[in-house]
Amino acid sequence: MSIDPSSIPNFGGQPEPQPQGPAGPVLPDQDLVKQLLDQMELKYVVDEEGDLAAPWEQFRTYFMFRGEDEQQIFSVRTFFDRPHQIEEKPQLLEAIDDWNRRTLWPKVYTHTHDDGTVRLIGEAQMLIGTGVDINHFVSSTVSWVRAAIEFDKWLVELLGLEQEVDGTEKPEDDGE
């Protein structure tokens, strides 16, 4: 099974019309996701646990298959690497609650590490055990990747994290 490049929505504008894929449902696998990432021109690696990951500068997105038979799930999980201090958690929770209310995906939550740093994780899932339409699988996966990128941009803008992104610091207000 292969993916027609014209069926992949572009990241800059409206998705192009999608031609019909294979007749009937398909059972997606890691090779199909690799094809999709290649066609999206995204770099990826396979980690030591066998999961497929696409790294960005401030986050990593994993494409994972879990479960067996009819209960198999395809999960796209993004680990946002920017650390936040525990004191910032109430503000983070308020922000991600707003995101989760207004968007379908990724659903974002916090993870507090033993050292007190807080990181964010975004996730979207699809039940694939009985097979899915190839066009639905491709458009969902592309949308989930795009949404993870948009979430990071949105959070940077909302919380004023630009200085962390471009490597400069905001000038201190000296009260004058």
PDB file of all heavy atoms in Angstrom, residues 75-93:
ATOM      1  N   SER A  75      -1.378   5.960  18.131  1.00  0.00           N
ATOM      2  CA  SER A  75      -1.267   7.126  18.987  1.00  0.00           C
ATOM      3  C   SER A  75      -0.170   8.041  18.468  1.00  0.00           C
ATOM      4  O   SER A  75       0.926   7.582  18.137  1.00  0.00           O
ATOM      5  CB  SER A  75      -0.937   6.678  20.422  1.00  0.00           C
ATOM      6  OG  SER A  75      -0.762   7.788  21.262  1.00  0.00           O
ATOM      7  N   VAL A  76      -0.478   9.322  18.382  1.00  0.00           N
ATOM      8  CA  VAL A  76       0.507  10.337  18.052  1.00  0.00           C
ATOM      9  C   VAL A  76       0.684  11.168  19.316  1.00  0.00           C
ATOM     10  O   VAL A  76      -0.253  11.844  19.751  1.00  0.00           O
ATOM     11  CB  VAL A  76       0.055  11.209  16.863  1.00  0.00           C
ATOM     12  CG1 VAL A  76       1.057  12.327  16.600  1.00  0.00           C
ATOM     13  CG2 VAL A  76      -0.123  10.350  15.619  1.00  0.00           C
ATOM     14  N   ARG A  77       1.864  11.068  19.900  1.00  0.00           N
ATOM     15  CA  ARG A  77       2.128  11.703  21.201  1.00  0.00           C
ATOM     16  C   ARG A  77       3.318  12.641  21.058  1.00  0.00           C
ATOM     17  O   ARG A  77       4.374  12.243  20.585  1.00  0.00           O
ATOM     18  CB  ARG A  77       2.426  10.634  22.247  1.00  0.00           C
ATOM     19  CG  ARG A  77       2.448  11.162  23.654  1.00  0.00           C
ATOM     20  CD  ARG A  77       2.596  10.046  24.654  1.00  0.00           C
ATOM     21  NE  ARG A  77       1.399   9.221  24.651  1.00  0.00           N
ATOM     22  CZ  ARG A  77       1.311   8.035  25.245  1.00  0.00           C
ATOM     23  NH1 ARG A  77       2.342   7.534  25.881  1.00  0.00           N
ATOM     24  NH2 ARG A  77       0.186   7.356  25.201  1.00  0.00           N
ATOM     25  N   THR A  78       3.137  13.890  21.465  1.00  0.00           N
ATOM     26  CA  THR A  78       4.186  14.901  21.368  1.00  0.00           C
ATOM     27  C   THR A  78       4.665  15.273  22.763  1.00  0.00           C
ATOM     28  O   THR A  78       3.864  15.623  23.630  1.00  0.00           O
ATOM     29  CB  THR A  78       3.674  16.153  20.632  1.00  0.00           C
ATOM     30  OG1 THR A  78       3.221  15.755  19.331  1.00  0.00           O
ATOM     31  CG2 THR A  78       4.767  17.192  20.485  1.00  0.00           C
ATOM     32  N   PHE A  79       5.978  15.185  22.938  1.00  0.00           N
ATOM     33  CA  PHE A  79       6.622  15.568  24.185  1.00  0.00           C
ATOM     34  C   PHE A  79       7.290  16.921  23.962  1.00  0.00           C
ATOM     35  O   PHE A  79       8.256  17.017  23.209  1.00  0.00           O
ATOM     36  CB  PHE A  79       7.656  14.521  24.611  1.00  0.00           C
ATOM     37  CG  PHE A  79       7.036  13.200  24.961  1.00  0.00           C
ATOM     38  CD1 PHE A  79       6.765  12.263  23.976  1.00  0.00           C
ATOM     39  CD2 PHE A  79       6.710  12.908  26.273  1.00  0.00           C
ATOM     40  CE1 PHE A  79       6.176  11.047  24.289  1.00  0.00           C
ATOM     41  CE2 PHE A  79       6.122  11.691  26.595  1.00  0.00           C
ATOM     42  CZ  PHE A  79       5.856  10.760  25.606  1.00  0.00           C
ATOM     43  N   PHE A  80       6.741  17.947  24.602  1.00  0.00           N
ATOM     44  CA  PHE A  80       7.283  19.295  24.470  1.00  0.00           C
ATOM     45  C   PHE A  80       8.432  19.419  25.472  1.00  0.00           C
ATOM     46  O   PHE A  80       8.248  19.239  26.671  1.00  0.00           O
ATOM     47  CB  PHE A  80       6.181  20.330  24.713  1.00  0.00           C
ATOM     48  CG  PHE A  80       5.094  20.241  23.666  1.00  0.00           C
ATOM     49  CD1 PHE A  80       3.965  19.457  23.874  1.00  0.00           C
ATOM     50  CD2 PHE A  80       5.229  20.903  22.461  1.00  0.00           C
ATOM     51  CE1 PHE A  80       2.979  19.354  22.907  1.00  0.00           C
ATOM     52  CE2 PHE A  80       4.242  20.801  21.476  1.00  0.00           C
ATOM     53  CZ  PHE A  80       3.121  20.030  21.703  1.00  0.00           C
ATOM     54  N   ASP A  81       9.630  19.703  24.961  1.00  0.00           N
ATOM     55  CA  ASP A  81      10.850  19.627  25.765  1.00  0.00           C
ATOM     56  C   ASP A  81      11.103  20.844  26.640  1.00  0.00           C
ATOM     57  O   ASP A  81      11.943  20.788  27.527  1.00  0.00           O
ATOM     58  CB  ASP A  81      12.069  19.415  24.847  1.00  0.00           C
ATOM     59  CG  ASP A  81      12.013  18.069  24.145  1.00  0.00           C
ATOM     60  OD1 ASP A  81      11.476  17.116  24.731  1.00  0.00           O
ATOM     61  OD2 ASP A  81      12.503  17.984  23.001  1.00  0.00           O
ATOM     62  N   ARG A  82      10.408  21.935  26.405  1.00  0.00           N
ATOM     63  CA  ARG A  82      10.649  23.153  27.176  1.00  0.00           C
ATOM     64  C   ARG A  82      10.260  22.918  28.644  1.00  0.00           C
ATOM     65  O   ARG A  82       9.109  22.633  28.948  1.00  0.00           O
ATOM     66  CB  ARG A  82       9.819  24.299  26.586  1.00  0.00           C
ATOM     67  CG  ARG A  82      10.059  25.647  27.209  1.00  0.00           C
ATOM     68  CD  ARG A  82       9.231  26.738  26.534  1.00  0.00           C
ATOM     69  NE  ARG A  82       9.616  26.909  25.133  1.00  0.00           N
ATOM     70  CZ  ARG A  82       8.862  26.524  24.104  1.00  0.00           C
ATOM     71  NH1 ARG A  82       7.707  25.940  24.292  1.00  0.00           N
ATOM     72  NH2 ARG A  82       9.271  26.729  22.871  1.00  0.00           N
ATOM     73  N   PRO A  83      11.234  23.042  29.567  1.00  0.00           N
ATOM     74  CA  PRO A  83      10.900  22.838  30.988  1.00  0.00           C
ATOM     75  C   PRO A  83      10.231  24.083  31.580  1.00  0.00           C
ATOM     76  O   PRO A  83      10.572  25.203  31.223  1.00  0.00           O
ATOM     77  CB  PRO A  83      12.262  22.593  31.638  1.00  0.00           C
ATOM     78  CG  PRO A  83      13.232  23.337  30.773  1.00  0.00           C
ATOM     79  CD  PRO A  83      12.664  23.285  29.367  1.00  0.00           C
ATOM     80  N   HIS A  84       9.283  23.856  32.458  1.00  0.00           N
ATOM     81  CA  HIS A  84       8.617  24.929  33.190  1.00  0.00           C
ATOM     82  C   HIS A  84       8.810  24.649  34.671  1.00  0.00           C
ATOM     83  O   HIS A  84       8.908  23.498  35.090  1.00  0.00           O
ATOM     84  CB  HIS A  84       7.119  24.954  32.856  1.00  0.00           C
ATOM     85  CG  HIS A  84       6.847  25.117  31.393  1.00  0.00           C
ATOM     86  ND1 HIS A  84       6.789  26.344  30.781  1.00  0.00           N
ATOM     87  CD2 HIS A  84       6.627  24.202  30.416  1.00  0.00           C
ATOM     88  CE1 HIS A  84       6.535  26.174  29.488  1.00  0.00           C
ATOM     89  NE2 HIS A  84       6.439  24.887  29.247  1.00  0.00           N
ATOM     90  N   GLN A  85       8.844  25.701  35.454  1.00  0.00           N
ATOM     91  CA  GLN A  85       9.017  25.553  36.895  1.00  0.00           C
ATOM     92  C   GLN A  85       7.679  25.188  37.546  1.00  0.00           C
ATOM     93  O   GLN A  85       6.608  25.547  37.046  1.00  0.00           O
ATOM     94  CB  GLN A  85       9.561  26.847  37.507  1.00  0.00           C
ATOM     95  CG  GLN A  85      10.929  27.245  36.949  1.00  0.00           C
ATOM     96  CD  GLN A  85      11.941  26.118  37.078  1.00  0.00           C
ATOM     97  OE1 GLN A  85      12.110  25.537  38.149  1.00  0.00           O
ATOM     98  NE2 GLN A  85      12.602  25.776  35.976  1.00  0.00           N
ATOM     99  N   ILE A  86       7.750  24.478  38.663  1.00  0.00           N
ATOM    100  CA  ILE A  86       6.543  24.027  39.355  1.00  0.00           C
ATOM    101  C   ILE A  86       5.646  25.221  39.720  1.00  0.00           C
ATOM    102  O   ILE A  86       4.424  25.096  39.707  1.00  0.00           O
ATOM    103  CB  ILE A  86       6.898  23.162  40.594  1.00  0.00           C
ATOM    104  CG1 ILE A  86       5.661  22.460  41.138  1.00  0.00           C
ATOM    105  CG2 ILE A  86       7.572  24.001  41.675  1.00  0.00           C
ATOM    106  CD1 ILE A  86       5.155  21.331  40.286  1.00  0.00           C
ATOM    107  N   GLU A  87       6.247  26.378  39.992  1.00  0.00           N
ATOM    108  CA  GLU A  87       5.459  27.565  40.343  1.00  0.00           C
ATOM    109  C   GLU A  87       4.612  28.041  39.161  1.00  0.00           C
ATOM    110  O   GLU A  87       3.633  28.759  39.339  1.00  0.00           O
ATOM    111  CB  GLU A  87       6.371  28.715  40.793  1.00  0.00           C
ATOM    112  CG  GLU A  87       7.201  28.435  42.029  1.00  0.00           C
ATOM    113  CD  GLU A  87       8.465  27.603  41.726  1.00  0.00           C
ATOM    114  OE1 GLU A  87       8.980  27.653  40.592  1.00  0.00           O
ATOM    115  OE2 GLU A  87       8.907  26.891  42.639  1.00  0.00           O
ATOM    116  N   GLU A  88       4.998  27.656  37.943  1.00  0.00           N
ATOM    117  CA  GLU A  88       4.271  28.064  36.740  1.00  0.00           C
ATOM    118  C   GLU A  88       3.117  27.118  36.413  1.00  0.00           C
ATOM    119  O   GLU A  88       2.335  27.389  35.496  1.00  0.00           O
ATOM    120  CB  GLU A  88       5.232  28.100  35.544  1.00  0.00           C
ATOM    121  CG  GLU A  88       6.381  29.060  35.692  1.00  0.00           C
ATOM    122  CD  GLU A  88       7.438  28.859  34.600  1.00  0.00           C
ATOM    123  OE1 GLU A  88       7.184  28.142  33.612  1.00  0.00           O
ATOM    124  OE2 GLU A  88       8.525  29.428  34.751  1.00  0.00           O
ATOM    125  N   LYS A  89       2.997  26.016  37.156  1.00  0.00           N
ATOM    126  CA  LYS A  89       2.009  24.997  36.792  1.00  0.00           C
ATOM    127  C   LYS A  89       0.569  25.529  36.775  1.00  0.00           C
ATOM    128  O   LYS A  89      -0.173  25.195  35.845  1.00  0.00           O
ATOM    129  CB  LYS A  89       2.134  23.777  37.705  1.00  0.00           C
ATOM    130  CG  LYS A  89       1.342  22.590  37.199  1.00  0.00           C
ATOM    131  CD  LYS A  89       1.676  21.319  37.942  1.00  0.00           C
ATOM    132  CE  LYS A  89       0.898  20.153  37.384  1.00  0.00           C
ATOM    133  NZ  LYS A  89       1.268  18.887  38.025  1.00  0.00           N
ATOM    134  N   PRO A  90       0.147  26.352  37.747  1.00  0.00           N
ATOM    135  CA  PRO A  90      -1.234  26.869  37.657  1.00  0.00           C
ATOM    136  C   PRO A  90      -1.490  27.646  36.361  1.00  0.00           C
ATOM    137  O   PRO A  90      -2.532  27.485  35.738  1.00  0.00           O
ATOM    138  CB  PRO A  90      -1.358  27.775  38.886  1.00  0.00           C
ATOM    139  CG  PRO A  90      -0.377  27.208  39.862  1.00  0.00           C
ATOM    140  CD  PRO A  90       0.784  26.741  39.020  1.00  0.00           C
ATOM    141  N   GLN A  91      -0.534  28.459  35.923  1.00  0.00           N
ATOM    142  CA  GLN A  91      -0.685  29.209  34.684  1.00  0.00           C
ATOM    143  C   GLN A  91      -0.705  28.254  33.486  1.00  0.00           C
ATOM    144  O   GLN A  91      -1.485  28.433  32.554  1.00  0.00           O
ATOM    145  CB  GLN A  91       0.454  30.220  34.534  1.00  0.00           C
ATOM    146  CG  GLN A  91       0.350  31.054  33.289  1.00  0.00           C
ATOM    147  CD  GLN A  91       1.540  31.986  33.094  1.00  0.00           C
ATOM    148  OE1 GLN A  91       2.588  31.823  33.704  1.00  0.00           O
ATOM    149  NE2 GLN A  91       1.364  32.957  32.219  1.00  0.00           N
ATOM    150  N   LEU A  92       0.138  27.222  33.513  1.00  0.00           N
ATOM    151  CA  LEU A  92       0.151  26.226  32.439  1.00  0.00           C
ATOM    152  C   LEU A  92      -1.182  25.492  32.364  1.00  0.00           C
ATOM    153  O   LEU A  92      -1.715  25.283  31.275  1.00  0.00           O
ATOM    154  CB  LEU A  92       1.276  25.210  32.646  1.00  0.00           C
ATOM    155  CG  LEU A  92       2.689  25.679  32.380  1.00  0.00           C
ATOM    156  CD1 LEU A  92       3.686  24.607  32.821  1.00  0.00           C
ATOM    157  CD2 LEU A  92       2.874  26.010  30.910  1.00  0.00           C
ATOM    158  N   LEU A  93      -1.702  25.089  33.508  1.00  0.00           N
ATOM    159  CA  LEU A  93      -2.972  24.368  33.532  1.00  0.00           C
ATOM    160  C   LEU A  93      -4.106  25.223  32.980  1.00  0.00           C
ATOM    161  O   LEU A  93      -4.963  24.731  32.238  1.00  0.00           O
ATOM    162  CB  LEU A  93      -3.296  23.892  34.948  1.00  0.00           C
ATOM    163  CG  LEU A  93      -2.395  22.773  35.483  1.00  0.00           C
ATOM    164  CD1 LEU A  93      -2.696  22.508  36.953  1.00  0.00           C
ATOM    165  CD2 LEU A  93      -2.538  21.509  34.657  1.00  0.00           C
TER     166      LEU A  93
END
